[in-house]
Every structure is written in C-alpha cells, then in structure tokens.
C-alpha cells in the first residue's frame, strides 16, 4: 500500500546540516499494523510526518496505492490527507473551546459534508470509542485517556485507509494505554485500516503485526 524507497531528509540551519533520515526503504502492506521503535532523535516522528505528507523528503520516492505522491502539489497533499489519512498525536491536539462532538467533526468540515450527516458520523465515531456519554463535554472536562479517545474518533470519522499514530499511549497510564491499544487493534482487524504507530513501549509494539527499528535515521531491523 505504502512504498518508500531511498528516502532522505535533511534539516538545515545557517551553520549546520542534520541528516534526519538516510536511505529509508519501507513497505507498509494494506491492513497491516506496524510499529516503529528506536531511541529519541532517531527519526521516527520525521518518518511519520513524511508518511502523512506533512513534510517532504529531500530525496527518494513514495508511492501510495502504486501512485507517486511526492510530486503532487501542497493542495493535492492536503486533499489526500483529509480523504485517506487519520492522525493521532501524543498530546491530543483537541480544540479546547469546542465540544467533544464538534472536535470530532473537524475533518468532515473540510470535506464540506452536510451538517446532519457530519453530526451522525461524529456520533458514530464516538460510539466506536465508547464516549457517547461525553458528547457535549469540553476537552478540559475529560481525563487524558478520554481525550485520546476523542482524538481517535476524530482520526477515524472520515473512514481513512491509513492511521498514523505518534506515541498514542505515551501520556497515559498502563490501563488507559491498554484500552487505546484495544481500540486501534479492533480498527485494524475489523476495518482493515493500515496503522503505523511510533512507540517506545515494547509491550505495545509486541501487539502489532510487525516492528521496524530505527537508529540514527536509518532502518536497522
């Protein structure tokens, strides 16, 4: 489904150039749950940003569904993200002034989905993550685990082919982390959603189909 070949990413300042990713080859199969592990600063989040077309590499190719995507315009990338990719972040990134259901609706606003359908789909996504009773609450009224569930509902409301999760359990206790993993595993098995998850937690990684290990900007295992 996703094929990276020879991906290189450099970050430059006036005085220094840092090689963040070096000659990355990676294949993510349709319906695969893949975890990416490695020490801090090894390039995991940079890789996830490139997979999500939030950042563009300095070299290499990336195909999704056998279509080269890096040469597309920024507007095409934004449209592709909205239609095919769901993002889950460690720090949730919820809008504090919006209710739970309004937060979940955000991706559908960019698709110009009609109000009634948008609300129905958001409520269904919240039901999937067990948050129906919290529909009209605000993020500050929720626990960390509940906020992450809202973030997952927002990621899946558009029924994406791909979910990219950056340390989705990193700010949670072990019980809440296990509940989030259960939700992701269910999505992967029931919806055949491809998931790429960055994690430092070996126990969480062991629950996925495959582990890719990185070190100093390279895939080493």
């Amino acid at each position: 489904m996703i094929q990276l070949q020879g991906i290189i990413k450099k970050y430059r300042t006036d005085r220094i150039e840092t090689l963040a990713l070096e000659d990355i080859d990676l294949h993510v199969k349709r319906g695969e749950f893949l975890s990416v592990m490695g020490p801090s600063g090894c390039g995991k989040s940079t890789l996830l940003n490139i997979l999500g077309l939030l950042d563009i590499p300095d070299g290499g190719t990336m195909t999704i569904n056998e279509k080269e995507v890096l040469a597309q315009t920024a507007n095409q990338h934004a449209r592709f993200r909205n239609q095919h990719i769901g993002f889950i972040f460690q720090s949730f990134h919820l809008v504090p002034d919006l209710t739970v259901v309004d937060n979940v609706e955000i991706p559908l606003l960019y698709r110009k989905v009609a109000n009634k359908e948008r609300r129905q789909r958001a409520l269904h996504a919240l039901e999937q993550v067990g948050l129906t009773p919290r529909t009209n609450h605000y993020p500050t009224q929720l626990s960390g685990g509940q906020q992450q569930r809202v973030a997952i509902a927002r990621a899946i409301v558009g029924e994406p082919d791909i979910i990219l999760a950056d340390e989705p359990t990193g700010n949670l206790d072990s019980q809440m982390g296990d509940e989030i993993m259960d939700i992701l595993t269910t999505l992967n098995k029931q919806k055949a959603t491809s998931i790429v998850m960055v994690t430092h937690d070996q126990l969480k990684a062991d629950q996925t189909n495959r582990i890719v290990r990185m070190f100093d900007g390279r895939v080493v295992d």
Side-chain angles (χ1 to χ4, degrees):
M1 183 178 193
I2 306 174
Q3 183 75 51
L4 303 182
Q5 290 186 315
I7 292 293
I8 297 170
K9 182 62 184 178
K10 301 175 182 178
Y11 292 107
R12 300 176 180 86
T13 65
D14 292 339
R15 296 185 177 182
I16 192 169
E17 178 179 277
T18 301
L19 185 60
L21 296 178
E22 182 179 0
D23 198 27
I24 296 289
D25 293 336
L26 180 65
H27 181 211
V28 182
K29 299 176 183 178
R30 185 178 300 279
E32 184 174 26
F33 194 165
L34 172 72
S35 54
V36 181
M37 301 192 73
S40 296
C42 73
K44 302 185 301 297
S45 293
T46 299
L47 175 62
L48 213 63
N49 287 340
I50 288 174
L51 287 170
L53 297 172
L54 294 171
D55 206 352
I56 303 301
D58 296 292
T61 61
M62 182 168 76
T63 59
I64 301 178
N65 294 332
E66 300 183 353
K67 183 177 182 179
E68 170 59 47
V69 295
L70 295 180
Q72 295 177 340
T73 67
N75 285 339
Q76 288 174 314
H77 286 167
R79 191 159 49 248
F80 185 89
R81 283 194 300 271
N82 181 252
Q83 295 176 351
H84 298 283
I85 301 176
F87 293 92
I88 304 170
F89 304 98
Q90 181 178 359
S91 53
F92 317 137
H93 292 309
L94 302 178
V95 181
D97 296 334
L98 295 181
T99 64
V100 163
V101 69
D102 288 335
N103 266 279
V104 174
E105 285 186 7
I106 289 174
L108 302 181
L109 285 169
Y110 293 100
R111 295 193 193 182
K112 299 181 179 179
V113 175
N115 291 348
K116 183 177 180 180
E117 181 184 352
R118 193 169 68 233
R119 183 53 55 102
Q120 289 175 341
R121 293 174 66 170
L123 291 173
H124 178 64
L126 287 168
E127 183 182 6
Q128 287 181 270
V129 299
L131 275 185
T132 298
R134 303 290 185 176
T135 297
N136 294 313
H137 286 66
Y138 289 88
T140 54
Q141 297 174 302
L142 305 179
S143 69
Q146 289 169 335
Q147 290 186 61
Q148 191 61 292
R149 286 171 180 260
V150 177
I152 293 174
R154 182 184 58 193
I156 67 174
V157 71
E159 299 182 349
D161 308 313
I162 305 161
I163 288 179
L164 303 177
D166 195 356
E167 293 282 359
T169 64
N171 285 333
L172 307 177
D173 61 37
S174 59
Q175 180 179 343
M176 284 296 180
D178 288 341
E179 291 179 5
I180 296 303
M181 284 301 298
D182 287 343
I183 293 171
L184 294 177
T185 300
T186 298
L187 285 169
N188 172 249
K189 291 181 177 179
Q190 293 186 357
K191 302 287 187 179
T193 306
S194 301
I195 302 176
V196 180
M197 177 182 73
V198 166
T199 182
H200 283 99
D201 190 328
Q202 184 67 55
L203 293 177
K204 300 295 187 294
D206 287 341
Q207 297 177 50
T208 66
N209 302 138
R210 180 162 60 105
I211 301 174
V212 169
R213 299 187 187 275
M214 296 185 64
F215 187 78
D216 286 349
R218 299 180 64 93
V219 172
V220 295
D221 183 15

